[in-house]
Amino acid sequence: MAGDSRHDVVIVGGGHNGLVAAAYLARAGRSVIVLERRDHVGGAAVSERPWPGVDARLSRYAYLVSLLPRQIIDDLGLQVTLGRRRISSYTPQPDDPAKAILVDEEAPSPGPGWDRLYATARTVADAVWPTLTEPLPSRASLRARVADEAAWEALFERPIGELLEDCLDDDALRGIALTDALIGTFAGAHDADLRQNRCFLYHVIGGGTGHWDVPIGGMGAVTDALRDAALAAGAEIRCGVDVAAVEPGAVRWDGGVATAGHVLANVAPAVLDRLRGREPSDTTPEGAQLKVNLLLARLPRLRDSAVDPADAFAGTFHVNEGYEQLERARAQAAGGALPDRVPCEIYCHSLTDPSILGPELRAAGAQTLTCFALHLPTRLFRADNDGTRERALAATLASLDSVLAEPVLDCVWRNPEGRPCVEARTPLDLEAELGLPSGNIFHRDLTWPFAETDAEVGTWGVETDDPRLLICGAGARRGGGVSGVPGRNAAMAVLKGR
């Protein structure tokens, strides 16, 4: 894309956060251009048809929505519908898959310890959630807002494993809770750096409730609504532009340059450092997952005959994610080996939203299945990405089979050429396809939702060392997940300043 242009704001990267920023800024009268490397916008928040000739639109990379504030939906007039899942989770017992824990929002909870754990989380969520779209509070002011010393201590000061072990006696229940601390995060329950706590926090505060919902129409429906809002407000979007350099007030690519009063970077901090010609300031981002997408001809039978598969697969289906299993898998991966029993969790979006399937597939009873395998860090794939992908996929499917009454591949839909509809993405695949450093789905380790220095207090958590350059992606403070929060906060930094 050749040509030079001048704008008030240039946004590098057309992921959902960049589109949020573009929509807010264009609605405020700023001239905005979004530059996207791929041939479409959305980043990880897209719906795609992975298998030619098969009319199934999967949320291919990002799966569920919890952290998107109602304020953003209303401010931008987004036509976005989120489907609430009545079944929270289904978990076969690690020592006997014929017995399982079904957490149903309309049924009694798993017990008083469970209630106490999530009452603690709700106390923190009520206080923290409204602050995500406000200037950064200090640690002390957020602590005062939580106004519960025990809850603050448990989530912000002590390893999350202590809270889980204090509240829950059952290994499976502890594991269910711990998974919220491990999504995209290679950590242990008792790690001293508390990365697991930060991950847990963002998984339990969404909307003040921690509910994770299915985007009706697929994740691409969210991106489409944001794109349309940005375009309607007057923003310009150019795809196929591979930005080569970010300079003070300018963005360059092969054959073109765009200058602006502000540049917003909807890329990972490590990528931004490279575009600025600097050594990465964060050298440790590492993905920790294998993403597997499947299309099923029918849901598999369970070893647990007391539960309808349509209920078991309706929420989050936890597979070999017992507390001790998770710790053992992490230790094996840290030692350089694939876990012998891969912990993973699966989601069947089509049970909540059949519209992502074409008429033929719906009539045949087909269902989508997306699987997120934990404790598979990037380091395991570097020497042989293709070979390790195949071994990790086989290990993940074997793990799933261990809790089913029949092999999952016996239930897989086949494309017109007879090939099974299964695909897997390693961290290195995500790096190549989406520009995520080492496949880290959060762009870097998640950060606390408060200022960690005096200089940060009152900022928006998106600032860099150059006042004309802001981060508007998941690598900003309070980033991660499909939220739009960093995009909105970057727009507020431009419009309102400190």
mmCIF file with all atom_site columns, all heavy atoms in Angstrom, residues 40-54:
data_model
loop_
_atom_site.group_PDB
_atom_site.id
_atom_site.type_symbol
_atom_site.label_atom_id
_atom_site.label_alt_id
_atom_site.label_comp_id
_atom_site.label_asym_id
_atom_site.label_entity_id
_atom_site.label_seq_id
_atom_site.pdbx_PDB_ins_code
_atom_site.Cartn_x
_atom_site.Cartn_y
_atom_site.Cartn_z
_atom_site.occupancy
_atom_site.B_iso_or_equiv
_atom_site.pdbx_formal_charge
_atom_site.auth_seq_id
_atom_site.auth_comp_id
_atom_site.auth_asym_id
_atom_site.auth_atom_id
_atom_site.pdbx_PDB_model_num
ATOM 1   N N   . HIS A 1 40 ? -7.575  -9.044  6.884  1.00 0.00 ? 40 HIS A N   1
ATOM 2   C CA  . HIS A 1 40 ? -8.824  -8.734  7.571  1.00 0.00 ? 40 HIS A CA  1
ATOM 3   C C   . HIS A 1 40 ? -8.497  -8.284  8.994  1.00 0.00 ? 40 HIS A C   1
ATOM 4   O O   . HIS A 1 40 ? -7.433  -8.588  9.529  1.00 0.00 ? 40 HIS A O   1
ATOM 5   C CB  . HIS A 1 40 ? -9.748  -9.963  7.610  1.00 0.00 ? 40 HIS A CB  1
ATOM 6   C CG  . HIS A 1 40 ? -9.135  -11.151 8.288  1.00 0.00 ? 40 HIS A CG  1
ATOM 7   N ND1 . HIS A 1 40 ? -8.333  -12.051 7.627  1.00 0.00 ? 40 HIS A ND1 1
ATOM 8   C CD2 . HIS A 1 40 ? -9.169  -11.574 9.587  1.00 0.00 ? 40 HIS A CD2 1
ATOM 9   C CE1 . HIS A 1 40 ? -7.920  -12.983 8.473  1.00 0.00 ? 40 HIS A CE1 1
ATOM 10  N NE2 . HIS A 1 40 ? -8.402  -12.716 9.677  1.00 0.00 ? 40 HIS A NE2 1
ATOM 11  N N   . VAL A 1 41 ? -9.429  -7.574  9.590  1.00 0.00 ? 41 VAL A N   1
ATOM 12  C CA  . VAL A 1 41 ? -9.225  -7.091  10.961 1.00 0.00 ? 41 VAL A CA  1
ATOM 13  C C   . VAL A 1 41 ? -9.721  -8.136  11.958 1.00 0.00 ? 41 VAL A C   1
ATOM 14  O O   . VAL A 1 41 ? -10.339 -9.129  11.598 1.00 0.00 ? 41 VAL A O   1
ATOM 15  C CB  . VAL A 1 41 ? -9.955  -5.748  11.184 1.00 0.00 ? 41 VAL A CB  1
ATOM 16  C CG1 . VAL A 1 41 ? -9.350  -4.660  10.313 1.00 0.00 ? 41 VAL A CG1 1
ATOM 17  C CG2 . VAL A 1 41 ? -11.458 -5.890  10.948 1.00 0.00 ? 41 VAL A CG2 1
ATOM 18  N N   . GLY A 1 42 ? -9.433  -7.888  13.217 1.00 0.00 ? 42 GLY A N   1
ATOM 19  C CA  . GLY A 1 42 ? -9.941  -8.749  14.279 1.00 0.00 ? 42 GLY A CA  1
ATOM 20  C C   . GLY A 1 42 ? -8.881  -9.408  15.121 1.00 0.00 ? 42 GLY A C   1
ATOM 21  O O   . GLY A 1 42 ? -9.144  -9.790  16.253 1.00 0.00 ? 42 GLY A O   1
ATOM 22  N N   . GLY A 1 43 ? -7.673  -9.596  14.554 1.00 0.00 ? 43 GLY A N   1
ATOM 23  C CA  . GLY A 1 43 ? -6.643  -10.277 15.322 1.00 0.00 ? 43 GLY A CA  1
ATOM 24  C C   . GLY A 1 43 ? -7.093  -11.664 15.734 1.00 0.00 ? 43 GLY A C   1
ATOM 25  O O   . GLY A 1 43 ? -7.518  -12.470 14.901 1.00 0.00 ? 43 GLY A O   1
ATOM 26  N N   . ALA A 1 44 ? -7.021  -11.949 17.036 1.00 0.00 ? 44 ALA A N   1
ATOM 27  C CA  . ALA A 1 44 ? -7.448  -13.255 17.546 1.00 0.00 ? 44 ALA A CA  1
ATOM 28  C C   . ALA A 1 44 ? -8.955  -13.348 17.705 1.00 0.00 ? 44 ALA A C   1
ATOM 29  O O   . ALA A 1 44 ? -9.485  -14.451 17.879 1.00 0.00 ? 44 ALA A O   1
ATOM 30  C CB  . ALA A 1 44 ? -6.766  -13.537 18.887 1.00 0.00 ? 44 ALA A CB  1
ATOM 31  N N   . ALA A 1 45 ? -9.653  -12.223 17.661 1.00 0.00 ? 45 ALA A N   1
ATOM 32  C CA  . ALA A 1 45 ? -11.108 -12.216 17.883 1.00 0.00 ? 45 ALA A CA  1
ATOM 33  C C   . ALA A 1 45 ? -11.838 -12.325 16.550 1.00 0.00 ? 45 ALA A C   1
ATOM 34  O O   . ALA A 1 45 ? -12.477 -11.374 16.079 1.00 0.00 ? 45 ALA A O   1
ATOM 35  C CB  . ALA A 1 45 ? -11.524 -10.951 18.636 1.00 0.00 ? 45 ALA A CB  1
ATOM 36  N N   . VAL A 1 46 ? -11.744 -13.492 15.931 1.00 0.00 ? 46 VAL A N   1
ATOM 37  C CA  . VAL A 1 46 ? -12.330 -13.708 14.608 1.00 0.00 ? 46 VAL A CA  1
ATOM 38  C C   . VAL A 1 46 ? -13.095 -15.025 14.572 1.00 0.00 ? 46 VAL A C   1
ATOM 39  O O   . VAL A 1 46 ? -12.879 -15.917 15.391 1.00 0.00 ? 46 VAL A O   1
ATOM 40  C CB  . VAL A 1 46 ? -11.238 -13.725 13.508 1.00 0.00 ? 46 VAL A CB  1
ATOM 41  C CG1 . VAL A 1 46 ? -10.599 -12.360 13.357 1.00 0.00 ? 46 VAL A CG1 1
ATOM 42  C CG2 . VAL A 1 46 ? -10.188 -14.787 13.799 1.00 0.00 ? 46 VAL A CG2 1
ATOM 43  N N   . SER A 1 47 ? -13.991 -15.119 13.598 1.00 0.00 ? 47 SER A N   1
ATOM 44  C CA  . SER A 1 47 ? -14.640 -16.383 13.254 1.00 0.00 ? 47 SER A CA  1
ATOM 45  C C   . SER A 1 47 ? -14.139 -16.799 11.879 1.00 0.00 ? 47 SER A C   1
ATOM 46  O O   . SER A 1 47 ? -14.060 -15.968 10.977 1.00 0.00 ? 47 SER A O   1
ATOM 47  C CB  . SER A 1 47 ? -16.163 -16.238 13.219 1.00 0.00 ? 47 SER A CB  1
ATOM 48  O OG  . SER A 1 47 ? -16.676 -15.859 14.465 1.00 0.00 ? 47 SER A OG  1
ATOM 49  N N   . GLU A 1 48 ? -13.787 -18.073 11.738 1.00 0.00 ? 48 GLU A N   1
ATOM 50  C CA  . GLU A 1 48 ? -13.271 -18.550 10.465 1.00 0.00 ? 48 GLU A CA  1
ATOM 51  C C   . GLU A 1 48 ? -13.798 -19.951 10.180 1.00 0.00 ? 48 GLU A C   1
ATOM 52  O O   . GLU A 1 48 ? -14.204 -20.664 11.093 1.00 0.00 ? 48 GLU A O   1
ATOM 53  C CB  . GLU A 1 48 ? -11.731 -18.551 10.477 1.00 0.00 ? 48 GLU A CB  1
ATOM 54  C CG  . GLU A 1 48 ? -11.132 -17.158 10.594 1.00 0.00 ? 48 GLU A CG  1
ATOM 55  C CD  . GLU A 1 48 ? -9.616  -17.147 10.597 1.00 0.00 ? 48 GLU A CD  1
ATOM 56  O OE1 . GLU A 1 48 ? -9.005  -18.237 10.643 1.00 0.00 ? 48 GLU A OE1 1
ATOM 57  O OE2 . GLU A 1 48 ? -9.053  -16.041 10.555 1.00 0.00 ? 48 GLU A OE2 1
ATOM 58  N N   . ARG A 1 49 ? -13.770 -20.311 8.902  1.00 0.00 ? 49 ARG A N   1
ATOM 59  C CA  . ARG A 1 49 ? -14.129 -21.669 8.473  1.00 0.00 ? 49 ARG A CA  1
ATOM 60  C C   . ARG A 1 49 ? -12.822 -22.432 8.243  1.00 0.00 ? 49 ARG A C   1
ATOM 61  O O   . ARG A 1 49 ? -12.213 -22.309 7.179  1.00 0.00 ? 49 ARG A O   1
ATOM 62  C CB  . ARG A 1 49 ? -14.974 -21.626 7.217  1.00 0.00 ? 49 ARG A CB  1
ATOM 63  C CG  . ARG A 1 49 ? -16.380 -21.050 7.424  1.00 0.00 ? 49 ARG A CG  1
ATOM 64  C CD  . ARG A 1 49 ? -17.150 -20.973 6.110  1.00 0.00 ? 49 ARG A CD  1
ATOM 65  N NE  . ARG A 1 49 ? -18.551 -20.635 6.316  1.00 0.00 ? 49 ARG A NE  1
ATOM 66  C CZ  . ARG A 1 49 ? -19.018 -19.398 6.463  1.00 0.00 ? 49 ARG A CZ  1
ATOM 67  N NH1 . ARG A 1 49 ? -18.163 -18.374 6.420  1.00 0.00 ? 49 ARG A NH1 1
ATOM 68  N NH2 . ARG A 1 49 ? -20.303 -19.171 6.649  1.00 0.00 ? 49 ARG A NH2 1
ATOM 69  N N   . PRO A 1 50 ? -12.376 -23.217 9.199  1.00 0.00 ? 50 PRO A N   1
ATOM 70  C CA  . PRO A 1 50 ? -11.064 -23.871 9.071  1.00 0.00 ? 50 PRO A CA  1
ATOM 71  C C   . PRO A 1 50 ? -10.996 -24.944 8.006  1.00 0.00 ? 50 PRO A C   1
ATOM 72  O O   . PRO A 1 50 ? -9.907  -25.244 7.508  1.00 0.00 ? 50 PRO A O   1
ATOM 73  C CB  . PRO A 1 50 ? -10.848 -24.495 10.459 1.00 0.00 ? 50 PRO A CB  1
ATOM 74  C CG  . PRO A 1 50 ? -11.829 -23.812 11.370 1.00 0.00 ? 50 PRO A CG  1
ATOM 75  C CD  . PRO A 1 50 ? -12.993 -23.475 10.506 1.00 0.00 ? 50 PRO A CD  1
ATOM 76  N N   . TRP A 1 51 ? -12.170 -25.539 7.659  1.00 0.00 ? 51 TRP A N   1
ATOM 77  C CA  . TRP A 1 51 ? -12.148 -26.693 6.760  1.00 0.00 ? 51 TRP A CA  1
ATOM 78  C C   . TRP A 1 51 ? -12.931 -26.371 5.493  1.00 0.00 ? 51 TRP A C   1
ATOM 79  O O   . TRP A 1 51 ? -14.162 -26.205 5.526  1.00 0.00 ? 51 TRP A O   1
ATOM 80  C CB  . TRP A 1 51 ? -12.742 -27.909 7.474  1.00 0.00 ? 51 TRP A CB  1
ATOM 81  C CG  . TRP A 1 51 ? -12.033 -28.179 8.762  1.00 0.00 ? 51 TRP A CG  1
ATOM 82  C CD1 . TRP A 1 51 ? -10.768 -28.680 8.927  1.00 0.00 ? 51 TRP A CD1 1
ATOM 83  C CD2 . TRP A 1 51 ? -12.525 -27.906 10.087 1.00 0.00 ? 51 TRP A CD2 1
ATOM 84  N NE1 . TRP A 1 51 ? -10.445 -28.747 10.256 1.00 0.00 ? 51 TRP A NE1 1
ATOM 85  C CE2 . TRP A 1 51 ? -11.503 -28.289 11.001 1.00 0.00 ? 51 TRP A CE2 1
ATOM 86  C CE3 . TRP A 1 51 ? -13.714 -27.403 10.604 1.00 0.00 ? 51 TRP A CE3 1
ATOM 87  C CZ2 . TRP A 1 51 ? -11.648 -28.172 12.371 1.00 0.00 ? 51 TRP A CZ2 1
ATOM 88  C CZ3 . TRP A 1 51 ? -13.862 -27.278 11.972 1.00 0.00 ? 51 TRP A CZ3 1
ATOM 89  C CH2 . TRP A 1 51 ? -12.834 -27.657 12.837 1.00 0.00 ? 51 TRP A CH2 1
ATOM 90  N N   . PRO A 1 52 ? -12.255 -26.266 4.357  1.00 0.00 ? 52 PRO A N   1
ATOM 91  C CA  . PRO A 1 52 ? -12.933 -25.954 3.091  1.00 0.00 ? 52 PRO A CA  1
ATOM 92  C C   . PRO A 1 52 ? -14.069 -26.938 2.814  1.00 0.00 ? 52 PRO A C   1
ATOM 93  O O   . PRO A 1 52 ? -13.936 -28.143 3.017  1.00 0.00 ? 52 PRO A O   1
ATOM 94  C CB  . PRO A 1 52 ? -11.816 -26.098 2.052  1.00 0.00 ? 52 PRO A CB  1
ATOM 95  C CG  . PRO A 1 52 ? -10.551 -25.848 2.820  1.00 0.00 ? 52 PRO A CG  1
ATOM 96  C CD  . PRO A 1 52 ? -10.797 -26.411 4.190  1.00 0.00 ? 52 PRO A CD  1
ATOM 97  N N   . GLY A 1 53 ? -15.176 -26.373 2.379  1.00 0.00 ? 53 GLY A N   1
ATOM 98  C CA  . GLY A 1 53 ? -16.331 -27.195 2.058  1.00 0.00 ? 53 GLY A CA  1
ATOM 99  C C   . GLY A 1 53 ? -17.190 -27.566 3.245  1.00 0.00 ? 53 GLY A C   1
ATOM 100 O O   . GLY A 1 53 ? -18.170 -28.307 3.095  1.00 0.00 ? 53 GLY A O   1
ATOM 101 N N   . VAL A 1 54 ? -16.845 -27.065 4.431  1.00 0.00 ? 54 VAL A N   1
ATOM 102 C CA  . VAL A 1 54 ? -17.593 -27.372 5.651  1.00 0.00 ? 54 VAL A CA  1
ATOM 103 C C   . VAL A 1 54 ? -18.080 -26.050 6.249  1.00 0.00 ? 54 VAL A C   1
ATOM 104 O O   . VAL A 1 54 ? -17.268 -25.189 6.605  1.00 0.00 ? 54 VAL A O   1
ATOM 105 C CB  . VAL A 1 54 ? -16.726 -28.132 6.672  1.00 0.00 ? 54 VAL A CB  1
ATOM 106 C CG1 . VAL A 1 54 ? -17.523 -28.423 7.936  1.00 0.00 ? 54 VAL A CG1 1
ATOM 107 C CG2 . VAL A 1 54 ? -16.201 -29.424 6.061  1.00 0.00 ? 54 VAL A CG2 1
#
